[in-house]
Amino acid sequence: IAEDLQKQNVSLLLVKKIYVLAALEVDSYKKRIFDAQMTGTGVSTAQTLDSLITTDINTSTDKALNNPWKGAEAIHYFLLCQRQLYLKNYSAALKTAIRLIEYEKELDTKDVYSLIA
């Protein structure tokens, strides 16, 4: 949802909030799965480890479950960089813009490099 809103030029603060809510939901889901696996009665250690590894493999293949906070971080740094530019804190803005290179997959590449320029 957040990626679609970001493409439609909706308020970036709203997009950031949606990313945070999605990340909290993913964390809650992972915790529920982990708790359900650990509370099984009569489960051996080997079976528990096997189920944990299987769950980890399944969640790592799903892009959304891999690192749900990355989108919120990207929007946060983008907004921070813009705020620093408007406050004429150019040194800090450049450092923040350079950090945005790590988030090219979440943000538009043109926007990232425009801030650096």
Side-chain angles (χ1 to χ4, degrees):
I1 295 173
E3 290 173 357
D4 293 339
L5 288 175
Q6 193 173 357
K7 291 175 185 173
Q8 296 174 3
N9 293 329
V10 177
S11 167
L12 287 178
L13 192 58
L14 176 65
V15 175
K16 178 182 168 184
K17 289 178 182 181
I18 291 174
Y19 271 121
V20 169
L21 285 173
L24 289 171
E25 284 296 318
V26 169
D27 286 347
S28 173
Y29 168 76
K30 287 181 178 179
K31 186 177 184 296
R32 281 193 313 250
I33 295 296
F34 180 75
D35 289 343
Q37 291 173 349
M38 296 306 288
T39 58
T41 57
V43 177
S44 70
T45 305
Q47 290 173 331
T48 302
L49 285 175
D50 186 46
S51 64
L52 287 174
I53 291 170
T54 304
T55 303
D56 190 42
I57 290 170
N58 290 339
T59 57
S60 68
T61 58
D62 191 358
K63 178 186 165 192
L65 298 178
N66 195 11
N67 190 357
W69 292 100
K70 192 113 172 141
E73 291 172 7
I75 299 294
H76 173 78
Y77 285 126
F78 188 80
L79 291 172
L80 177 65
C81 184
Q82 287 183 337
R83 185 179 316 130
Q84 290 167 336
L85 281 173
Y86 285 118
L87 294 174
K88 297 183 177 163
N89 189 354
Y90 300 120
S91 175
L94 179 61
K95 291 175 186 174
T96 306
I98 289 172
R99 177 174 283 270
L100 282 173
I101 293 172
E102 299 172 16
Y103 300 97
E104 283 185 50
K105 292 181 182 174
E106 287 77 25
L107 298 171
D108 186 24
T109 306
K110 179 181 171 187
D111 292 338
V112 171
Y113 287 102
S114 294
L115 282 173
I116 293 173

